[in-house]
Amino acid sequence: MSEPFVFDSRCDQCKTPYGAVTAGTAVTLHVRPLERENFDHCALICIHEFAEKTVETQLTRTGTDGDRVRFSLTFSAPEQPELIWYYFRFWRKDGSGCFLDKTGYRSEGNPVCWQLTVYSDHLETPSWFGEGITYQIFPDRFCRLSIPDPRGMVGNRRVHRRWSDHPQWRPDPDGEIRNRDFFGGSLKGICSKLDLLESLSVSTLYLCPIFESASNHRYNTADYLHVDPMLGTEEDFTELCREAHKRGIRVILDGVFNHTGSQSIYFNDDGFYPTVGAAQSQDSPWYDWYHFHPWPKDYDSWWGIKTLPAVEESALSYVDYIIENPDSVVRHWLRAGADGWRLDVADELPDWFIERVRAVMDETKPGSFLLGEVWEDGSNKIAYSQRRKYLLGSETHGLMNYPFRTAALAWLQGGDAGSFRDAMETLRENYPPAAFFSAMNFLGTHDTGRILTVLGARTTPGSKAARASYHLDPEEYARGAALVKLAALLLFTFPGSPTIYYGDEAGMQGFEDPLNRGTYPWGKEDAVLKDWYILLGRLRRDHASLRRGDLQWLHAEGRCMAFRRQADGKTLTAVLNAGDESVSLSLPWEGRSCRDLLSGQTFRPKDGALSLTVPPRSGYLLF
């Protein structure tokens, strides 16, 4: 970037306050071109995304900073939530000049703008999610207490007799992967393992869909108001919530509101349900939920998958059923014990729909949490040619932080720590603070490969068959486990809710879906890895700095990074080395000594600096 010190949106010499601002906030900008450039004038150009207007305001020359001229401006952010793109224009007395954007000076082309997120803080974000530890469970594969009988249930189900079987991954004779093989995990099974979750210091349990469905993943909902009978009953769910709450654990459900299953009570393509579905009659009470062209065989579906017919969220009866009705789906399960919802494919739900879900949640269960599935920077995402509103104050409380996983994996697999820092600083700058601290951070989910396999495997086999049978050899496992421990240290010390995908703490392996959805290896866990997660969970639980402390970067270069978290007058410092070689570094340090909370080792600073040698693929948590 040319002239990097002319303007830096993350530097308080150039912009205050830092990052996103509440509506109506006074924002001060200072721009500092070199005096020899002979610029006499500077203007700020603001493009208001949602108001669809451009505002140009001239800055005032307010002095000099060494060999630089300082132009300054204080303006008020809009009174309504907005996304503002801004850059600067310079010109001289003779009329010559240029633009300044994130790439530096330029005289042509479209500017690469800085972003200013303007949000409303009129609704509070519950702190319990971001400060806590989340555990994600794929219900069919976590714990079963008995082998269920699938007869009489929707879908042509098959139940594995052996818990240790691999999930079925081969297509059927029609070339479809039906996901009809079940293992029989249940809500009672989850309830029986709450002590394990408590030992991991888990405070939020996120369940993949639990509602009646023809498939083991249950993302093709058959009936939103009934628990899948293989999982149990509504009473079992209420009991799970009650027992979880006794242990300080809240429960978040997965809401799949963009589509239903074709084998659902609403669509009823195969006639399983005695009622009349939309695929059977245009007089069906659910007919207007779907868009046929023409009825009955051609209809909109999620990504063209015909077993997942897309719903028309604007259908009044659908909005009433899911959100508004006194016993709507959203309200019903909150009253049954749930503490929040995760919105599946949130980028395919209209903004107004998400806002209404949030409003009904606030009304029905104040303090409940709304999480959105978004794979990119949620502050500026475009979906279906429309800029989305997820974090402006009335929508989701937080988002799944796929950018965290992407940047962390890039660093762990050989990338530069500075790139991770920059990716996270982009989010911290773009997100409202409450949203940044309420992000769901993770290393893997039901939609990604297992973190141990991703970090341990030397190569990714080309065929699905080879990937399905792949198992890390001892050398791969040792390297992968060391990197998983380091990744978990980053996960548990960074702002946001550290999220464990069930079994990652036990050493589960597997490439992509459904190979990443195996059964929990009860009695065969990696005890060393599990103990590491228990330690990190306890440290996160016991230290407010890790739960809600601010973030200060000390080092981010090459394979090593170091950052501080501080809250309530106490500071913890995380130092991590992802490289294959030891790294020596010196950090500014106040105090006469510090202790590594991971090993108990004591270090003594000298002359205000702490000199460290960090072994390969390891780290410290200094207190």
Side-chain angles (χ1 to χ4, degrees):
M1 180 185 298
S2 63
E3 299 296 350
F5 300 107
V6 178
F7 181 78
D8 182 351
S9 62
R10 298 174 187 169
C11 175
D12 59 9
Q13 294 184 45
C14 297
K15 176 182 177 290
T16 55
Y18 180 91
V21 299
T22 55
T25 296
V27 179
T28 299
L29 304 176
H30 301 287
V31 191
R32 304 161 58 249
L34 289 167
E35 193 165 15
R36 66 171 181 265
E37 294 288 350
N38 295 320
F39 293 129
D40 295 288
H41 301 279
C42 175
L44 170 71
I45 294 90
C46 290
I47 304 167
H48 296 237
E49 177 86 25
F50 303 122
E52 298 182 339
K53 67 179 182 179
T54 299
V55 178
E56 180 169 336
T57 309
Q58 191 163 336
L59 282 73
T60 302
R61 179 167 174 160
T62 56
T64 58
D65 294 326
D67 59 353
R68 295 180 179 276
V69 178
R70 185 173 65 250
F71 292 93
S72 303
L73 170 68
T74 298
F75 68 96
S76 294
E79 294 295 332
Q80 298 298 322
E82 183 59 273
L83 191 62
I84 295 176
W85 305 100
Y86 67 96
Y87 63 100
F88 301 94
R89 183 168 69 91
F90 294 101
W91 67 98
R92 304 178 182 91
K93 290 180 180 179
D94 63 5
S96 63
C98 61
F99 297 111
L100 176 74
D101 65 7
K102 293 178 73 173
T103 67
Y105 290 132
R106 63 191 304 169
S107 57
E108 58 184 17
N110 294 322
V112 180
C113 298
W114 287 276
Q115 175 181 327
L116 177 63
T117 304
V118 181
Y119 64 97
S120 170
D121 62 353
H122 71 291
L123 296 176
E124 186 175 351
T125 295
S127 62
W128 58 262
F129 180 81
E131 291 193 20
I133 297 168
T134 302
Y135 194 89
Q136 179 190 356
I137 288 180
F138 193 83
D140 183 60
R141 310 291 162 83
F142 187 62
C143 179
R144 79 177 177 193
L145 302 180
S146 61
I147 300 176
D149 182 352
R151 288 177 296 181
M153 299 181 186
V154 64
N156 183 22
R157 308 187 188 196
R158 178 177 70 86
V159 178
H160 292 265
R161 308 295 295 181
R162 294 188 307 173
W163 184 250
S164 60
D165 282 354
H166 291 296
Q168 183 176 319
W169 59 269
R170 296 181 185 277
D172 65 12
D174 296 327
E176 296 284 344
I177 299 176
R178 303 287 183 182
N179 296 296
R180 301 295 169 81
D181 65 315
F182 288 76
F183 284 83
S186 66
L187 297 179
K188 284 183 178 292
I190 296 172
C191 199
S192 73
K193 300 298 183 180
L194 286 176
D195 288 345
L196 165 69
L197 302 186
E198 189 175 18
S199 75
L200 290 165
S201 300
V202 168
S203 57
T204 302
L205 176 58
Y206 156 44
L207 301 177
C208 289
I210 66 169
F211 307 122
E212 189 169 344
S213 172
S215 298
N216 54 46
H217 53 69
R218 300 187 173 96
Y219 281 94
N220 53 340
T221 310
D223 189 338
Y224 289 107
L225 289 177
H226 287 91
V227 170
D228 190 277
M230 196 170 282
L231 285 175
T233 65
E234 181 170 335
E235 289 72 25
D236 293 334
F237 173 73
T238 298
E239 177 67 12
L240 170 61
C241 293
R242 183 162 47 243
E243 290 301 315
H245 291 161
K246 289 179 182 177
R247 294 166 171 82
I249 300 173
R250 292 177 170 88
V251 179
I252 287 182
L253 290 177
D254 214 332
V256 187
F257 301 142
N258 167 260
H259 50 269
T260 67
S262 59
Q263 292 177 279
S264 67
I265 191 172
Y266 319 107
F267 201 81
N268 210 18
D269 188 43
D270 62 349
F272 173 83
Y273 292 95
T275 49
V276 179
Q280 298 167 302
S281 171
Q282 296 183 55
D283 292 327
S284 167
W286 302 293
Y287 175 75
D288 66 344
W289 288 18
Y290 306 96
H291 183 216
F292 292 93
H293 40 82
W295 180 84
K297 294 299 182 182
D298 195 11
Y299 47 86
D300 289 347
S301 59
W302 186 73
W303 285 32
I305 301 172
K306 288 302 182 180
T307 56
L308 301 175
V311 298
E312 292 278 353
E313 291 94 350
S314 60
L316 295 180
S317 61
Y318 185 72
V319 175
D320 190 58
Y321 183 84
I322 297 294
I323 307 174
E324 304 290 357
N325 188 283
D327 193 36
S328 68
V329 172
V330 170
R331 297 183 197 271
H332 181 94
W333 295 105
L334 290 176
R335 294 191 182 114
D339 302 283
W341 285 94
R342 177 253 191 192
L343 295 179
D344 183 60
V345 293
D347 54 351
E348 303 197 31
L349 295 171
D351 290 340
W352 62 263
F353 188 93
I354 296 175
E355 287 189 36
R356 287 306 305 154
V357 171
R358 165 78 176 271
V360 163
M361 289 175 62
D362 289 343
E363 174 190 314
T364 306
K365 194 167 192 176
S368 56
F369 192 89
L370 182 60
L371 177 73
E373 180 196 13
V374 176
W375 285 54
E376 302 85 8
D377 180 334
S379 70
N380 55 36
K381 180 178 171 64
I382 294 176
Y384 297 96
S385 302
Q386 182 180 4
R387 188 78 66 179
R388 301 304 305 274
K389 301 176 181 178
Y390 298 118
L391 302 171
L392 297 182
S394 301
E395 310 83 19
T396 62
H397 293 106
L399 301 175
M400 296 183 72
N401 200 350
Y402 276 94
F404 172 90
R405 178 181 185 270
T406 300
L409 288 185
W411 170 64
L412 291 161
Q413 295 175 315
D416 189 88
S419 297
F420 175 83
R421 176 198 59 203
D422 290 345
M424 294 302 96
E425 284 301 293
T426 295
L427 292 186
R428 185 157 73 124
E429 184 177 15
N430 291 350
Y431 282 23
F436 180 74
F437 281 85
S438 295
M440 174 191 267
N441 299 338
F442 52 85
L443 302 172
T445 72
H446 63 291
D447 287 325
T448 70
R450 286 281 176 179
I451 186 61
L452 181 58
T453 299
V454 170
L455 294 178
R458 295 187 187 91
T459 60
T460 301
S463 71
K464 186 98 174 196
R467 294 194 297 277
S469 62
Y470 196 93
H471 200 77
L472 300 177
D473 65 34
E475 183 179 343
E476 288 178 314
Y477 192 98
R479 177 181 173 83
L483 287 173
V484 168
K485 290 177 67 176
L486 184 66
L489 176 59
L490 174 61
L491 181 70
F492 276 75
T493 55
F494 205 76
S497 178
T499 301
I500 306 168
Y501 181 44
Y502 80 102
D504 278 351
E505 81 286 1
M508 286 183 66
Q509 301 182 38
F511 284 101
E512 78 280 12
D513 161 27
L515 310 177
N516 59 353
R517 301 175 181 180
T519 54
Y520 194 96
W522 298 110
K524 299 178 181 179
E525 301 95 327
D526 182 327
V528 174
L529 202 56
K530 184 177 174 183
D531 285 346
W532 181 255
Y533 274 84
I534 289 173
L535 172 61
L536 293 177
R538 185 170 67 248
L539 291 172
R540 171 93 181 194
R541 180 196 66 202
D542 293 346
H543 291 274
S545 298
L546 297 182
R547 298 196 306 273
R548 59 176 179 270
D550 58 11
L551 175 66
Q552 178 190 3
W553 291 95
L554 302 178
H555 182 86
E557 184 178 336
R559 311 295 292 123
C560 191
M561 70 172 75
F563 55 84
R564 281 185 179 149
R565 305 287 309 280
Q566 185 174 37
D568 301 339
K570 296 183 179 180
T571 301
L572 271 73
T573 301
V575 185
L576 307 95
N577 175 21
D580 296 330
E581 306 290 338
S582 294
V583 172
S584 296
L585 74 158
S586 179
L587 303 176
W589 204 272
E590 296 180 2
R592 289 180 290 182
S593 66
C594 61
R595 182 168 59 93
D596 176 29
L597 297 179
L598 305 175
S599 66
Q601 185 177 358
T602 299
F603 299 92
R604 296 193 180 280
K606 183 178 181 180
D607 299 328
L610 178 64
S611 296
L612 293 171
T613 298
V614 192
R617 297 188 292 280
S618 68
Y620 301 121
L621 183 56
L622 304 175
F623 180 60

